[in-house]
Every structure is written in C-alpha cells, then in structure tokens.
Amino acid sequence: KYRRAADQAMDRILRLGKLDPSRKDLNARRDDHVRPLDMEGRLFPVEIHPREGKFVSDRISMGSGGDSFYECMLKQHLLKPFTMRHLHLQYLQVQEAVLSKVLGKMNGMVFLGEGSSGSSNPTRRMEHLACFAPGMLALATLAKGTQLHTREKQMKAAESLMETCMTMYATTSGLAAEMYEFKSGRNAEMKATTNHKFSLLRPETVESAFILWRLTKKQLYRDFGWRLFQAIERSSKLDGKDAGYSAIQDVNTGTSTVSSSNRLDRMDSFFMAETLKYLYLLFCPDSVLPLDKYVFNTEAHPFPVLEHPPYSGLSPQ
C-alpha cells in the first residue's frame, strides 16, 4: 500500500517536468546514455501547489525543501531495480540538470548553493543539509547497468563535495554549523553565516562518510567519524548518567569545551535515529546491513532490496 503510494507520488512529480514515466523512449533504453532533454524539463523547484499540482517557485535546491526528492528518486530505483528501472535513467538526467544550477567552485572548494531556473550562478551559501549529496552520488554507482565513465564521474563529484562537508567541522567545538558562506577575494574563506552558527548534531555528513567508507575503503572517512564522535562527547554530552546530548548555539566559542551557556535546550530525534546510527555503522563490518541488500530511507531506516537478478518472472509495472 505505502510503496504504491510512494511510487505514484514520484510519478506525479516527474510528470510536472518532461520526465513522464510512461514514455517508452526512456523505459526501453538499456544503458544510461539517454538523449538529453531540454534543461527546463529536468529542473524541479522546491515548491508545488497542493491543489493545482504546479510549481509555484523557481528555487532549485539540494538543501532544505529539495533534498529528499533527489534521494528518493534514486532509492526508489535501488529498492526495485527492475520494475523501477526508468527512475535510474531519469535520476541521471535530473541530477545533471540540478548540479548545473547549484554546484559552485571557489578556490578549489566545491559547494552546493541554491539556484533558479533563470540563473546560471548558484548562491555562495551551503546548508549542512546538502551534505547528504556526497553519499547519494556515491550510492548511485551501485545502480545496475551504470556505465564505468558515469560511475567514475559520480564518485569524483561525491568525494570533492565530501571534502567540503568535512571541512565544515574544522571549528572550535569540532561540530559543523547549520549553514556556511563562501567568500572570494584576498581573504577567501568558508565561514558559518551570522544567523546559522548553531549545531543541531545533524547526520548528513556522517551518513555520506558511512557510504563512502563502504564503497572506497578510504581511511579518512573513518578518521572523520571518530573525530566527530569525540567532538560530540566533548561538546554536547550533558553531565549525569541519565543525561542526553544538546545542540549548541555557536560552534566557535573560543574554548575546546562547550559551556552550559552555549547549550541549546533541545536534542532532535534525528540525532539518535540517524547521526548515532550512521556513526555506529561506519565502524561495523560490511556484513551489517550491506548496501547491495538494503536501502536506507531519508530517516536512516533500512529497507530490504525487493528485487534481485536475474529478475525472472517479473514484469515492469
């Protein structure tokens, strides 16, 4: 019931662009070399009118408002790689389009800003939320039938973005702020924006570290995870055996230990459901929830892959 509802919702959104899932020219292709559609038909702004079912803005983002769409598009394919094969082809087209609008580079650093359908230059601000993207790009290399050059391109982009996301944690507390701005010129730097210096202990970067570790086995991702765990213990853990962890108001407080005045009176549920889970999985053997047999939804709940080769007896839905 719920799977069908999710599939129908995705189909409806895709029809708002020019990626109609019923199109035979897309569904029948046997590789990821599809003919390009016009850019406008592959862009999906973050806001849709609830009754009219039309886009009501031109804001393009892989941060707040837009992140889950791209992630779900890929993961719905990975859950059902045969009957939802068209989503892989469409995901590649949409991904190319959105990155052309939001991907920016400055002084060798790659970031994900916000764009619009009418602009070619992204904003020079990146939300920590967008740090799910390195993991998503890397995960796409697992899609069946992906050509080698496409996998290499995806992984290169994933690791470049991941470097930026890990740099966000180069703060006094060892935790990342909610949003960063990228300044060019003589004093070029990446710094937390004035109103977004707080940390909610978000999971996106450690989620990407987990996926990249599983797929590349590069030690820097586990090293990052261990530094993050130590920073959480040092900067966010409250005193007392029954105490939890708090968000902090400013990731750069001038001291290595966060004072009580810098703590926020909140601990978001995603900290336990996602941040700690991905930290745990980062140091688990690959046999624990292997990525070729399980797909994690946007809230880190593992779902078993529903279809496995050779897909005998199955027919596209």
Side-chain angles (χ1 to χ4, degrees):
K1 175 182 177 181
Y2 295 110
R3 177 183 58 77
R4 286 196 301 270
D7 292 345
Q8 291 169 0
M10 180 60 69
D11 287 351
R12 183 66 186 90
I13 294 174
L14 291 175
R15 291 175 196 274
L16 294 179
K18 296 182 180 179
L19 294 175
D20 187 336
S22 67
R23 285 174 49 177
K24 302 300 183 183
D25 60 323
L26 289 178
N27 296 345
R29 300 303 292 265
R30 296 299 179 187
D31 55 44
D32 55 12
H33 184 66
V34 293
R35 67 178 182 82
L37 298 172
D38 62 285
M39 189 65 71
E40 181 182 357
R42 293 181 287 168
L43 292 174
F44 291 79
V46 299
E47 296 174 357
I48 300 173
H49 195 285
R51 290 185 297 276
E52 297 180 5
K54 298 179 180 179
F55 294 124
V56 294
S57 76
D58 67 349
R59 184 168 74 93
I60 309 296
S61 174
M62 295 186 78
S64 58
D67 51 349
S68 295
F69 166 67
Y70 305 101
E71 186 177 0
C72 288
M73 192 177 186
L74 172 66
K75 291 181 176 181
Q76 281 178 243
H77 161 71
L78 293 176
L79 278 171
K80 299 200 309 176
F82 179 73
T83 56
M84 301 297 286
R85 199 179 72 80
H86 63 277
L87 281 182
H88 177 222
L89 308 178
Q90 294 162 340
Y91 163 81
L92 291 173
Q93 294 186 342
V94 170
Q95 180 203 97
E96 179 186 5
V98 68
L99 289 179
S100 73
K101 293 293 185 179
V102 303
L103 187 68
K105 296 181 180 180
M106 190 194 72
N107 298 329
M109 187 170 289
V110 181
F111 63 92
L112 294 173
E114 286 192 357
S116 66
S117 55
S119 173
S120 58
N121 297 315
T123 61
R124 290 186 174 180
R125 291 190 173 192
M126 180 175 175
E127 299 174 77
H128 185 276
L129 279 169
C131 284
F132 84 97
M136 179 189 70
L137 292 167
L139 198 61
T141 65
L142 294 178
K144 306 299 182 186
T146 305
Q147 295 183 352
L148 177 61
H149 71 87
T150 301
R151 292 200 303 270
E152 291 175 344
K153 181 179 178 181
Q154 300 263 13
M155 190 59 74
K156 181 178 179 180
E159 295 199 80
S160 295
L161 283 169
M162 187 60 180
E163 185 174 347
T164 300
C165 290
M166 292 190 294
T167 303
M168 292 181 178
Y169 287 78
T171 62
T172 302
S173 65
L175 302 173
E178 186 77 354
M179 183 184 294
Y180 287 82
E181 57 186 341
F182 297 80
K183 294 187 175 182
S184 59
R186 173 179 289 182
N187 299 315
E189 61 179 341
M190 177 181 76
K191 62 180 295 186
T193 60
T194 302
N195 296 324
H196 299 88
K197 295 180 178 180
F198 56 90
S199 171
L200 302 181
L201 309 179
R202 288 195 180 276
E204 289 79 17
T205 302
V206 71
E207 173 187 0
S208 290
F210 157 65
I211 295 171
L212 282 163
W213 160 254
R214 285 281 180 97
L215 297 181
T216 70
K217 290 295 181 277
K218 292 184 178 180
Q219 185 61 33
L220 78 161
Y221 299 121
R222 275 188 166 177
D223 291 345
F224 164 76
W226 180 240
R227 291 195 304 272
L228 173 57
F229 175 75
Q230 291 177 308
I232 291 172
E233 289 290 296
R234 180 180 66 248
S235 299
S236 296
K237 189 174 183 179
L238 298 172
D239 295 331
K241 66 176 184 178
D242 297 322
Y245 295 79
S246 71
I248 65 172
Q249 184 171 313
D250 190 339
V251 296
N252 286 306
T253 60
T255 59
S256 60
T257 301
V258 176
S259 65
S260 58
S261 63
N262 196 41
R263 296 184 185 275
L264 298 174
D265 188 20
R266 63 183 289 178
M267 183 182 77
D268 292 85
S269 61
F270 56 68
F271 170 67
M272 300 188 72
E274 300 181 68
T275 307
L276 293 182
K277 182 184 292 182
Y278 282 124
L279 274 170
Y280 171 76
L281 289 171
L282 178 60
F283 294 95
C284 282
D286 291 3
S287 58
V288 178
L289 298 174
L291 293 179
D292 61 339
K293 292 182 173 61
Y294 292 89
V295 175
F296 291 86
N297 73 357
T298 59
E299 307 307 317
H301 302 306
F303 287 81
V305 172
L306 299 175
E307 298 171 354
H308 298 278
Y311 309 124
S312 57
L314 295 173
S315 59
Q317 297 177 351

PDB file of all heavy atoms in Angstrom, residues 155-189:
ATOM      1  N   MET A 155      31.525   9.303  -8.530  1.00  0.00           N
ATOM      2  CA  MET A 155      32.374   9.153  -7.356  1.00  0.00           C
ATOM      3  C   MET A 155      33.311  10.342  -7.187  1.00  0.00           C
ATOM      4  O   MET A 155      33.568  10.793  -6.068  1.00  0.00           O
ATOM      5  CB  MET A 155      33.175   7.858  -7.454  1.00  0.00           C
ATOM      6  CG  MET A 155      33.914   7.504  -6.174  1.00  0.00           C
ATOM      7  SD  MET A 155      32.826   7.298  -4.729  1.00  0.00           S
ATOM      8  CE  MET A 155      32.077   5.717  -5.119  1.00  0.00           C
ATOM      9  N   LYS A 156      33.813  10.873  -8.282  1.00  0.00           N
ATOM     10  CA  LYS A 156      34.684  12.053  -8.190  1.00  0.00           C
ATOM     11  C   LYS A 156      33.925  13.234  -7.599  1.00  0.00           C
ATOM     12  O   LYS A 156      34.445  13.944  -6.725  1.00  0.00           O
ATOM     13  CB  LYS A 156      35.217  12.410  -9.579  1.00  0.00           C
ATOM     14  CG  LYS A 156      36.154  13.607  -9.578  1.00  0.00           C
ATOM     15  CD  LYS A 156      36.692  13.903 -10.979  1.00  0.00           C
ATOM     16  CE  LYS A 156      37.610  15.116 -10.976  1.00  0.00           C
ATOM     17  NZ  LYS A 156      38.134  15.417 -12.331  1.00  0.00           N
ATOM     18  N   ALA A 157      32.704  13.447  -8.050  1.00  0.00           N
ATOM     19  CA  ALA A 157      31.890  14.541  -7.514  1.00  0.00           C
ATOM     20  C   ALA A 157      31.580  14.302  -6.036  1.00  0.00           C
ATOM     21  O   ALA A 157      31.603  15.238  -5.218  1.00  0.00           O
ATOM     22  CB  ALA A 157      30.590  14.667  -8.313  1.00  0.00           C
ATOM     23  N   ALA A 158      31.292  13.049  -5.682  1.00  0.00           N
ATOM     24  CA  ALA A 158      30.977  12.714  -4.299  1.00  0.00           C
ATOM     25  C   ALA A 158      32.145  13.040  -3.377  1.00  0.00           C
ATOM     26  O   ALA A 158      31.974  13.662  -2.315  1.00  0.00           O
ATOM     27  CB  ALA A 158      30.610  11.239  -4.198  1.00  0.00           C
ATOM     28  N   GLU A 159      33.349  12.643  -3.767  1.00  0.00           N
ATOM     29  CA  GLU A 159      34.500  12.852  -2.894  1.00  0.00           C
ATOM     30  C   GLU A 159      34.901  14.323  -2.812  1.00  0.00           C
ATOM     31  O   GLU A 159      35.367  14.788  -1.767  1.00  0.00           O
ATOM     32  CB  GLU A 159      35.659  11.983  -3.374  1.00  0.00           C
ATOM     33  CG  GLU A 159      35.359  10.487  -3.254  1.00  0.00           C
ATOM     34  CD  GLU A 159      36.601   9.619  -3.279  1.00  0.00           C
ATOM     35  OE1 GLU A 159      37.269   9.514  -2.227  1.00  0.00           O
ATOM     36  OE2 GLU A 159      36.898   9.061  -4.351  1.00  0.00           O
ATOM     37  N   SER A 160      34.702  15.070  -3.891  1.00  0.00           N
ATOM     38  CA  SER A 160      35.004  16.505  -3.864  1.00  0.00           C
ATOM     39  C   SER A 160      34.067  17.235  -2.913  1.00  0.00           C
ATOM     40  O   SER A 160      34.503  18.070  -2.109  1.00  0.00           O
ATOM     41  CB  SER A 160      34.884  17.090  -5.272  1.00  0.00           C
ATOM     42  OG  SER A 160      35.859  16.544  -6.141  1.00  0.00           O
ATOM     43  N   LEU A 161      32.786  16.922  -2.987  1.00  0.00           N
ATOM     44  CA  LEU A 161      31.817  17.550  -2.084  1.00  0.00           C
ATOM     45  C   LEU A 161      32.042  17.113  -0.644  1.00  0.00           C
ATOM     46  O   LEU A 161      31.878  17.899   0.288  1.00  0.00           O
ATOM     47  CB  LEU A 161      30.394  17.212  -2.526  1.00  0.00           C
ATOM     48  CG  LEU A 161      29.860  17.994  -3.723  1.00  0.00           C
ATOM     49  CD1 LEU A 161      28.565  17.380  -4.236  1.00  0.00           C
ATOM     50  CD2 LEU A 161      29.626  19.468  -3.336  1.00  0.00           C
ATOM     51  N   MET A 162      32.413  15.854  -0.471  1.00  0.00           N
ATOM     52  CA  MET A 162      32.636  15.351   0.882  1.00  0.00           C
ATOM     53  C   MET A 162      33.778  16.088   1.564  1.00  0.00           C
ATOM     54  O   MET A 162      33.747  16.340   2.775  1.00  0.00           O
ATOM     55  CB  MET A 162      32.912  13.852   0.834  1.00  0.00           C
ATOM     56  CG  MET A 162      32.997  13.209   2.207  1.00  0.00           C
ATOM     57  SD  MET A 162      31.462  13.405   3.145  1.00  0.00           S
ATOM     58  CE  MET A 162      31.920  12.560   4.665  1.00  0.00           C
ATOM     59  N   GLU A 163      34.783  16.450   0.793  1.00  0.00           N
ATOM     60  CA  GLU A 163      35.904  17.205   1.364  1.00  0.00           C
ATOM     61  C   GLU A 163      35.418  18.532   1.934  1.00  0.00           C
ATOM     62  O   GLU A 163      35.834  18.952   3.016  1.00  0.00           O
ATOM     63  CB  GLU A 163      36.964  17.446   0.289  1.00  0.00           C
ATOM     64  CG  GLU A 163      38.221  18.119   0.804  1.00  0.00           C
ATOM     65  CD  GLU A 163      39.307  18.227  -0.247  1.00  0.00           C
ATOM     66  OE1 GLU A 163      39.189  17.565  -1.295  1.00  0.00           O
ATOM     67  OE2 GLU A 163      40.276  18.976  -0.013  1.00  0.00           O
ATOM     68  N   THR A 164      34.508  19.187   1.209  1.00  0.00           N
ATOM     69  CA  THR A 164      33.934  20.440   1.706  1.00  0.00           C
ATOM     70  C   THR A 164      33.129  20.200   2.967  1.00  0.00           C
ATOM     71  O   THR A 164      33.237  20.957   3.944  1.00  0.00           O
ATOM     72  CB  THR A 164      33.046  21.079   0.627  1.00  0.00           C
ATOM     73  OG1 THR A 164      33.833  21.357  -0.530  1.00  0.00           O
ATOM     74  CG2 THR A 164      32.400  22.363   1.131  1.00  0.00           C
ATOM     75  N   CYS A 165      32.323  19.149   2.969  1.00  0.00           N
ATOM     76  CA  CYS A 165      31.477  18.865   4.128  1.00  0.00           C
ATOM     77  C   CYS A 165      32.318  18.554   5.364  1.00  0.00           C
ATOM     78  O   CYS A 165      31.988  18.995   6.476  1.00  0.00           O
ATOM     79  CB  CYS A 165      30.538  17.702   3.818  1.00  0.00           C
ATOM     80  SG  CYS A 165      29.252  18.114   2.604  1.00  0.00           S
ATOM     81  N   MET A 166      33.401  17.824   5.210  1.00  0.00           N
ATOM     82  CA  MET A 166      34.256  17.529   6.362  1.00  0.00           C
ATOM     83  C   MET A 166      34.954  18.786   6.859  1.00  0.00           C
ATOM     84  O   MET A 166      35.191  18.944   8.063  1.00  0.00           O
ATOM     85  CB  MET A 166      35.268  16.439   5.994  1.00  0.00           C
ATOM     86  CG  MET A 166      34.635  15.076   5.763  1.00  0.00           C
ATOM     87  SD  MET A 166      35.833  13.710   5.602  1.00  0.00           S
ATOM     88  CE  MET A 166      36.675  14.154   4.076  1.00  0.00           C
ATOM     89  N   THR A 167      35.270  19.702   5.932  1.00  0.00           N
ATOM     90  CA  THR A 167      35.905  20.959   6.326  1.00  0.00           C
ATOM     91  C   THR A 167      34.978  21.806   7.190  1.00  0.00           C
ATOM     92  O   THR A 167      35.440  22.608   8.006  1.00  0.00           O
ATOM     93  CB  THR A 167      36.340  21.744   5.074  1.00  0.00           C
ATOM     94  OG1 THR A 167      37.221  20.941   4.290  1.00  0.00           O
ATOM     95  CG2 THR A 167      37.058  23.034   5.441  1.00  0.00           C
ATOM     96  N   MET A 168      33.674  21.637   7.039  1.00  0.00           N
ATOM     97  CA  MET A 168      32.722  22.365   7.870  1.00  0.00           C
ATOM     98  C   MET A 168      32.941  22.093   9.357  1.00  0.00           C
ATOM     99  O   MET A 168      32.550  22.900  10.207  1.00  0.00           O
ATOM    100  CB  MET A 168      31.290  21.989   7.495  1.00  0.00           C
ATOM    101  CG  MET A 168      30.830  22.457   6.129  1.00  0.00           C
ATOM    102  SD  MET A 168      29.107  21.957   5.822  1.00  0.00           S
ATOM    103  CE  MET A 168      28.834  22.681   4.197  1.00  0.00           C
ATOM    104  N   TYR A 169      33.552  20.962   9.667  1.00  0.00           N
ATOM    105  CA  TYR A 169      33.748  20.564  11.063  1.00  0.00           C
ATOM    106  C   TYR A 169      35.061  21.094  11.650  1.00  0.00           C
ATOM    107  O   TYR A 169      35.380  20.791  12.808  1.00  0.00           O
ATOM    108  CB  TYR A 169      33.696  19.043  11.175  1.00  0.00           C
ATOM    109  CG  TYR A 169      32.297  18.498  11.015  1.00  0.00           C
ATOM    110  CD1 TYR A 169      31.723  18.376   9.752  1.00  0.00           C
ATOM    111  CD2 TYR A 169      31.523  18.132  12.122  1.00  0.00           C
ATOM    112  CE1 TYR A 169      30.431  17.892   9.589  1.00  0.00           C
ATOM    113  CE2 TYR A 169      30.238  17.649  11.973  1.00  0.00           C
ATOM    114  CZ  TYR A 169      29.692  17.531  10.701  1.00  0.00           C
ATOM    115  OH  TYR A 169      28.398  17.066  10.550  1.00  0.00           O
ATOM    116  N   ALA A 170      35.795  21.877  10.888  1.00  0.00           N
ATOM    117  CA  ALA A 170      37.041  22.459  11.390  1.00  0.00           C
ATOM    118  C   ALA A 170      36.718  23.693  12.234  1.00  0.00           C
ATOM    119  O   ALA A 170      37.042  24.829  11.882  1.00  0.00           O
ATOM    120  CB  ALA A 170      37.964  22.821  10.230  1.00  0.00           C
ATOM    121  N   THR A 171      36.046  23.457  13.352  1.00  0.00           N
ATOM    122  CA  THR A 171      35.622  24.526  14.252  1.00  0.00           C
ATOM    123  C   THR A 171      36.182  24.263  15.643  1.00  0.00           C
ATOM    124  O   THR A 171      36.742  23.200  15.919  1.00  0.00           O
ATOM    125  CB  THR A 171      34.082  24.583  14.334  1.00  0.00           C
ATOM    126  OG1 THR A 171      33.608  23.333  14.879  1.00  0.00           O
ATOM    127  CG2 THR A 171      33.469  24.801  12.965  1.00  0.00           C
ATOM    128  N   THR A 172      36.007  25.228  16.528  1.00  0.00           N
ATOM    129  CA  THR A 172      36.496  25.079  17.890  1.00  0.00           C
ATOM    130  C   THR A 172      35.864  23.884  18.584  1.00  0.00           C
ATOM    131  O   THR A 172      36.523  23.131  19.299  1.00  0.00           O
ATOM    132  CB  THR A 172      36.205  26.355  18.695  1.00  0.00           C
ATOM    133  OG1 THR A 172      36.815  27.460  18.042  1.00  0.00           O
ATOM    134  CG2 THR A 172      36.750  26.237  20.110  1.00  0.00           C
ATOM    135  N   SER A 173      34.583  23.686  18.367  1.00  0.00           N
ATOM    136  CA  SER A 173      33.867  22.590  19.019  1.00  0.00           C
ATOM    137  C   SER A 173      34.058  21.259  18.296  1.00  0.00           C
ATOM    138  O   SER A 173      33.774  20.203  18.859  1.00  0.00           O
ATOM    139  CB  SER A 173      32.372  22.909  19.078  1.00  0.00           C
ATOM    140  OG  SER A 173      31.832  22.973  17.763  1.00  0.00           O
ATOM    141  N   GLY A 174      34.510  21.308  17.045  1.00  0.00           N
ATOM    142  CA  GLY A 174      34.595  20.094  16.250  1.00  0.00           C
ATOM    143  C   GLY A 174      33.278  19.704  15.621  1.00  0.00           C
ATOM    144  O   GLY A 174      33.157  18.633  15.024  1.00  0.00           O
ATOM    145  N   LEU A 175      32.276  20.589  15.722  1.00  0.00           N
ATOM    146  CA  LEU A 175      30.961  20.350  15.149  1.00  0.00           C
ATOM    147  C   LEU A 175      30.709  21.348  14.028  1.00  0.00           C
ATOM    148  O   LEU A 175      31.300  22.429  13.996  1.00  0.00           O
ATOM    149  CB  LEU A 175      29.875  20.471  16.221  1.00  0.00           C
ATOM    150  CG  LEU A 175      30.024  19.525  17.409  1.00  0.00           C
ATOM    151  CD1 LEU A 175      28.988  19.850  18.482  1.00  0.00           C
ATOM    152  CD2 LEU A 175      29.897  18.068  16.969  1.00  0.00           C
ATOM    153  N   ALA A 176      29.823  21.000  13.110  1.00  0.00           N
ATOM    154  CA  ALA A 176      29.547  21.863  11.961  1.00  0.00           C
ATOM    155  C   ALA A 176      28.365  22.773  12.245  1.00  0.00           C
ATOM    156  O   ALA A 176      27.406  22.387  12.929  1.00  0.00           O
ATOM    157  CB  ALA A 176      29.260  21.013  10.721  1.00  0.00           C
ATOM    158  N   ALA A 177      28.428  23.978  11.686  1.00  0.00           N
ATOM    159  CA  ALA A 177      27.303  24.904  11.789  1.00  0.00           C
ATOM    160  C   ALA A 177      26.217  24.515  10.797  1.00  0.00           C
ATOM    161  O   ALA A 177      26.399  23.653   9.936  1.00  0.00           O
ATOM    162  CB  ALA A 177      27.785  26.332  11.517  1.00  0.00           C
ATOM    163  N   GLU A 178      25.095  25.172  10.902  1.00  0.00           N
ATOM    164  CA  GLU A 178      23.937  24.855  10.065  1.00  0.00           C
ATOM    165  C   GLU A 178      24.108  25.325   8.622  1.00  0.00           C
ATOM    166  O   GLU A 178      23.613  24.678   7.690  1.00  0.00           O
ATOM    167  CB  GLU A 178      22.687  25.518  10.675  1.00  0.00           C
ATOM    168  CG  GLU A 178      21.388  25.169  10.011  1.00  0.00           C
ATOM    169  CD  GLU A 178      20.863  23.787  10.373  1.00  0.00           C
ATOM    170  OE1 GLU A 178      21.577  23.033  11.066  1.00  0.00           O
ATOM    171  OE2 GLU A 178      19.746  23.461   9.963  1.00  0.00           O
ATOM    172  N   MET A 179      24.816  26.432   8.411  1.00  0.00           N
ATOM    173  CA  MET A 179      24.986  26.973   7.064  1.00  0.00           C
ATOM    174  C   MET A 179      26.309  27.726   6.965  1.00  0.00           C
ATOM    175  O   MET A 179      26.744  28.360   7.933  1.00  0.00           O
ATOM    176  CB  MET A 179      23.829  27.914   6.703  1.00  0.00           C
ATOM    177  CG  MET A 179      23.878  28.466   5.281  1.00  0.00           C
ATOM    178  SD  MET A 179      22.546  29.662   4.942  1.00  0.00           S
ATOM    179  CE  MET A 179      21.100  28.610   5.056  1.00  0.00           C
ATOM    180  N   TYR A 180      26.913  27.660   5.779  1.00  0.00           N
ATOM    181  CA  TYR A 180      28.184  28.327   5.536  1.00  0.00           C
ATOM    182  C   TYR A 180      28.088  29.206   4.297  1.00  0.00           C
ATOM    183  O   TYR A 180      27.300  28.930   3.382  1.00  0.00           O
ATOM    184  CB  TYR A 180      29.297  27.296   5.335  1.00  0.00           C
ATOM    185  CG  TYR A 180      29.714  26.607   6.610  1.00  0.00           C
ATOM    186  CD1 TYR A 180      28.990  25.525   7.106  1.00  0.00           C
ATOM    187  CD2 TYR A 180      30.821  27.038   7.329  1.00  0.00           C
ATOM    188  CE1 TYR A 180      29.360  24.893   8.281  1.00  0.00           C
ATOM    189  CE2 TYR A 180      31.208  26.417   8.505  1.00  0.00           C
ATOM    190  CZ  TYR A 180      30.469  25.349   8.977  1.00  0.00           C
ATOM    191  OH  TYR A 180      30.843  24.730  10.143  1.00  0.00           O
ATOM    192  N   GLU A 181      28.896  30.261   4.297  1.00  0.00           N
ATOM    193  CA  GLU A 181      29.008  31.100   3.118  1.00  0.00           C
ATOM    194  C   GLU A 181      30.441  31.051   2.623  1.00  0.00           C
ATOM    195  O   GLU A 181      31.388  30.859   3.398  1.00  0.00           O
ATOM    196  CB  GLU A 181      28.586  32.540   3.426  1.00  0.00           C
ATOM    197  CG  GLU A 181      29.348  33.215   4.544  1.00  0.00           C
ATOM    198  CD  GLU A 181      28.774  34.579   4.878  1.00  0.00           C
ATOM    199  OE1 GLU A 181      28.050  35.131   4.037  1.00  0.00           O
ATOM    200  OE2 GLU A 181      29.055  35.086   5.983  1.00  0.00           O
ATOM    201  N   PHE A 182      30.580  31.213   1.315  1.00  0.00           N
ATOM    202  CA  PHE A 182      31.883  31.109   0.671  1.00  0.00           C
ATOM    203  C   PHE A 182      32.267  32.482   0.135  1.00  0.00           C
ATOM    204  O   PHE A 182      31.594  33.024  -0.735  1.00  0.00           O
ATOM    205  CB  PHE A 182      31.835  30.076  -0.459  1.00  0.00           C
ATOM    206  CG  PHE A 182      31.539  28.687   0.033  1.00  0.00           C
ATOM    207  CD1 PHE A 182      30.242  28.295   0.332  1.00  0.00           C
ATOM    208  CD2 PHE A 182      32.563  27.775   0.214  1.00  0.00           C
ATOM    209  CE1 PHE A 182      29.971  27.026   0.803  1.00  0.00           C
ATOM    210  CE2 PHE A 182      32.301  26.497   0.676  1.00  0.00           C
ATOM    211  CZ  PHE A 182      30.992  26.123   0.978  1.00  0.00           C
ATOM    212  N   LYS A 183      33.332  33.026   0.677  1.00  0.00           N
ATOM    213  CA  LYS A 183      33.766  34.365   0.307  1.00  0.00           C
ATOM    214  C   LYS A 183      35.014  34.281  -0.555  1.00  0.00           C
ATOM    215  O   LYS A 183      35.964  33.564  -0.228  1.00  0.00           O
ATOM    216  CB  LYS A 183      34.046  35.198   1.559  1.00  0.00           C
ATOM    217  CG  LYS A 183      32.782  35.472   2.382  1.00  0.00           C
ATOM    218  CD  LYS A 183      33.061  36.435   3.525  1.00  0.00           C
ATOM    219  CE  LYS A 183      31.777  36.794   4.254  1.00  0.00           C
ATOM    220  NZ  LYS A 183      32.019  37.771   5.356  1.00  0.00           N
ATOM    221  N   SER A 184      34.995  35.025  -1.640  1.00  0.00           N
ATOM    222  CA  SER A 184      36.132  35.035  -2.561  1.00  0.00           C
ATOM    223  C   SER A 184      36.979  36.278  -2.316  1.00  0.00           C
ATOM    224  O   SER A 184      36.706  37.076  -1.426  1.00  0.00           O
ATOM    225  CB  SER A 184      35.634  34.996  -4.007  1.00  0.00           C
ATOM    226  OG  SER A 184      34.802  36.109  -4.264  1.00  0.00           O
ATOM    227  N   GLY A 185      38.006  36.435  -3.127  1.00  0.00           N
ATOM    228  CA  GLY A 185      38.860  37.616  -2.992  1.00  0.00           C
ATOM    229  C   GLY A 185      40.109  37.332  -2.184  1.00  0.00           C
ATOM    230  O   GLY A 185      40.496  36.190  -1.939  1.00  0.00           O
ATOM    231  N   ARG A 186      40.749  38.409  -1.717  1.00  0.00           N
ATOM    232  CA  ARG A 186      42.016  38.275  -0.994  1.00  0.00           C
ATOM    233  C   ARG A 186      41.851  37.436   0.261  1.00  0.00           C
ATOM    234  O   ARG A 186      42.720  36.632   0.604  1.00  0.00           O
ATOM    235  CB  ARG A 186      42.543  39.666  -0.627  1.00  0.00           C
ATOM    236  CG  ARG A 186      43.766  39.629   0.274  1.00  0.00           C
ATOM    237  CD  ARG A 186      44.280  41.014   0.590  1.00  0.00           C
ATOM    238  NE  ARG A 186      44.904  41.635  -0.577  1.00  0.00           N
ATOM    239  CZ  ARG A 186      45.471  42.839  -0.567  1.00  0.00           C
ATOM    240  NH1 ARG A 186      45.456  43.559   0.559  1.00  0.00           N
ATOM    241  NH2 ARG A 186      46.023  43.334  -1.661  1.00  0.00           N
ATOM    242  N   ASN A 187      40.749  37.609   0.987  1.00  0.00           N
ATOM    243  CA  ASN A 187      40.515  36.866   2.226  1.00  0.00           C
ATOM    244  C   ASN A 187      39.472  35.773   2.007  1.00  0.00           C
ATOM    245  O   ASN A 187      38.512  35.649   2.762  1.00  0.00           O
ATOM    246  CB  ASN A 187      40.073  37.822   3.338  1.00  0.00           C
ATOM    247  CG  ASN A 187      41.131  38.868   3.648  1.00  0.00           C
ATOM    248  OD1 ASN A 187      42.314  38.543   3.762  1.00  0.00           O
ATOM    249  ND2 ASN A 187      40.713  40.118   3.781  1.00  0.00           N
ATOM    250  N   ALA A 188      39.664  34.993   0.973  1.00  0.00           N
ATOM    251  CA  ALA A 188      38.712  33.936   0.648  1.00  0.00           C
ATOM    252  C   ALA A 188      38.624  32.942   1.795  1.00  0.00           C
ATOM    253  O   ALA A 188      39.634  32.546   2.384  1.00  0.00           O
ATOM    254  CB  ALA A 188      39.145  33.225  -0.628  1.00  0.00           C
ATOM    255  N   GLU A 189      37.396  32.540   2.132  1.00  0.00           N
ATOM    256  CA  GLU A 189      37.193  31.593   3.219  1.00  0.00           C
ATOM    257  C   GLU A 189      35.785  31.008   3.180  1.00  0.00           C
ATOM    258  O   GLU A 189      34.906  31.508   2.488  1.00  0.00           O
ATOM    259  CB  GLU A 189      37.405  32.280   4.576  1.00  0.00           C
ATOM    260  CG  GLU A 189      36.434  33.433   4.817  1.00  0.00           C
ATOM    261  CD  GLU A 189      36.630  34.083   6.178  1.00  0.00           C
ATOM    262  OE1 GLU A 189      37.233  33.458   7.062  1.00  0.00           O
ATOM    263  OE2 GLU A 189      36.173  35.222   6.354  1.00  0.00           O
TER     264      GLU A 189
END
